[in-house]
Amino acid sequence: MEQKIRKIIASLEAQFTGDEEHDLGVVSKYLGSLERSVETAQIAKAIGHYCIDKFPNSDIARSAKAVEGLFDQFHTKISKARECLHDKKFEEAVAIYRELIGGTKVEQTPNVKRFAFSSPFEEIIYRYHGDDDIKKCDIELISPLPFLLYYELGFALFELKRYDEAKEAYEQAIELNPVDPRPQFELIQIAKERGDNTTVRAILEKIYSRLYTRAQLGRFYREHCYLACLEGQFDLAVALIYASISYDDTPVARNQLNAIAKHKGVDLSRPNATVTKARLSAANIPLGPFMPLVNIALEAGRQAQSVYPAMARIYYSIAYDLTQDDRIAKLLARL
């Protein structure tokens, strides 16, 4: 976004003549052409700051100072909404989130897709899974704020047991970031509340090839463990929960293991790698990360390492995090 703003300001300055009235007219015309969205609000804010420095006595500068106050109010409301979530005041939180979302419209066009990806690698994942049109389209990264607002609204609605509305909020979050699995995992919680295990399984199958952190894989196996327990497949459940723990050793996973222990006759010993692989394979559950993503991260790292070592480190770290492969650790050590 910073690079885009710099380009916009440079294009405006290219039209300046040195006459303040004319130059302010150029800025005003551009600001007037912006449609309302989170992205354009950021652009307008940046241009406002620019005008405060360049044209301190102008109406635009005075307006920019007023807009700054509006931004402060906006973020104060976000803080209030999150405070309500923490205090379990979910009705109040929903009202605030709905108000905030009303001012964060994100426009999509056929040729330009706007997404709230949290990293460049999420864009790579998105393009990997897309059809030819997706692979060719331009992608603009926007603020993660609209994604987070919908995601947090979904949480508040879920806690109120308003599952249809929560589902809609999570689906809006997914439209803004179709790679981040968090809202998909929350859709699983809604399906579990409804006893819809078919949907749980379908979502897990869909998101596996997009999981690129150990924590995500850990939750993937925990959700499969839940299904195995429901079906009375406790040997499989044990293998799954230990697979989860191997990626993300959390209290939630340990609690699931303790719950399995309550069933008589279940062998809770940790199965070896061969047995784990056999049990998961028999249930058509993949073991380990989706290897094409590991290879993509490695290739992205190789392409970046000579020109952008910091980005190469990010990509290699993703590959190492997923695999714990010493060969990848050596690549990191060389940067």
Side-chain angles (χ1 to χ4, degrees):
M1 178 58 76
E2 289 181 8
Q3 184 178 4
K4 181 173 183 177
I5 289 170
R6 284 196 295 271
K7 287 181 178 179
I8 291 169
I9 290 175
S11 70
L12 294 175
E13 289 180 333
Q15 302 173 62
F16 289 175
T17 64
D19 179 82
E20 184 169 310
E21 184 176 351
H22 171 272
D23 296 349
L24 284 169
V26 170
V27 176
S28 295
K29 182 178 179 181
Y30 176 77
L31 291 173
S33 70
L34 296 175
E35 295 182 4
R36 186 183 181 190
S37 71
V38 169
E39 181 184 359
T40 56
Q42 289 180 294
I43 292 170
K45 181 182 179 183
I47 292 174
H49 277 295
Y50 169 81
C51 289
I52 290 171
D53 292 333
K54 190 167 182 65
F55 312 109
N57 297 318
S58 67
D59 288 340
I60 292 177
R62 284 189 285 273
S63 296
K65 291 176 182 177
V67 168
E68 185 72 25
L70 292 176
F71 266 84
D72 289 342
Q73 291 177 30
F74 189 82
H75 285 284
T76 297
K77 287 182 180 179
I78 293 173
S79 297
K80 177 62 176 176
R82 289 172 176 166
E83 182 183 316
C84 288
L85 288 184
H86 180 268
D87 294 340
K88 302 186 185 304
K89 298 177 181 178
F90 299 118
E91 289 283 5
E92 188 175 346
V94 166
I96 298 172
Y97 279 118
R98 292 212 185 278
E99 179 185 353
L100 291 168
I101 285 169
T104 59
K105 184 179 180 182
V106 177
E107 296 288 347
Q108 302 284 11
T109 67
N111 297 323
V112 179
K113 301 296 183 183
R114 296 180 175 89
F115 292 116
F117 294 138
S118 62
S119 71
F121 194 62
E122 287 191 344
E123 180 179 342
I124 293 172
I125 295 173
Y126 176 74
R127 289 192 186 277
Y128 172 82
H129 286 287
D131 56 24
D132 288 340
D133 289 339
I134 285 174
K135 289 174 181 176
K136 293 175 183 176
C137 76
D138 290 331
I139 288 178
E140 287 186 10
L141 297 182
I142 63 170
S143 163
L145 183 58
F147 168 84
L148 292 172
L149 291 178
Y150 278 115
Y151 178 71
E152 291 169 13
L153 170 63
F155 177 81
L157 290 165
F158 179 86
E159 292 297 318
L160 292 168
K161 302 188 186 303
R162 290 157 60 176
Y163 298 132
D164 286 340
E165 293 174 79
K167 181 174 180 288
E168 183 180 343
Y170 288 133
E171 287 170 346
Q172 289 291 329
I174 291 166
E175 287 216 8
L176 291 167
N177 186 340
V179 176
D180 191 320
R182 287 177 295 173
Q184 299 277 14
F185 279 125
E186 299 311 320
L187 288 179
I188 284 175
Q189 304 315 307
I190 293 173
K192 285 160 70 172
E193 288 292 330
R194 291 171 164 172
D196 185 0
N197 298 327
T198 300
T199 294
V200 173
R201 202 176 299 279
I203 294 173
L204 290 172
E205 183 177 346
K206 176 183 177 181
I207 66 174
Y208 168 69
S209 60
R210 292 168 168 79
L211 304 178
Y212 68 98
T213 72
R214 298 182 73 80
Q216 292 168 2
L217 282 169
R219 186 163 183 183
F220 173 80
Y221 291 117
R222 290 200 303 274
E223 297 298 351
H224 268 298
C225 177
Y226 163 84
L227 291 173
C229 288
L230 282 183
E231 295 165 356
Q233 299 183 58
F234 294 112
D235 287 343
L236 173 60
V238 168
L240 285 164
I241 202 60
Y242 278 119
S244 175
I245 288 169
S246 70
Y247 282 104
D248 191 28
D249 192 350
T250 66
V252 176
R254 294 290 174 175
N255 287 340
Q256 277 186 270
L257 183 61
N258 292 335
I260 296 170
K262 295 178 181 178
H263 296 272
K264 293 182 179 180
V266 178
D267 181 2
L268 290 176
S269 60
R270 188 171 197 149
N272 62 36
T274 301
V275 172
T276 297
K277 184 176 182 179
R279 290 180 186 175
L280 269 64
S281 179
N284 293 315
I285 300 170
L287 178 61
F290 184 63
M291 286 309 296
L293 283 193
V294 175
N295 294 332
I296 289 168
L298 288 172
E299 181 58 28
R302 291 189 190 100
Q303 292 181 15
Q305 67 183 30
S306 61
V307 292
Y308 198 175
M311 189 59 69
R313 177 172 291 279
I314 291 172
Y315 292 135
Y316 283 147
S317 295
I318 290 169
Y320 177 73
D321 182 55
L322 290 171
T323 63
Q324 305 291 289
D325 190 320
D326 289 341
R327 293 169 296 179
I328 303 173
K330 290 177 182 178
L331 292 174
L332 281 165
R334 290 186 197 131
L335 290 175

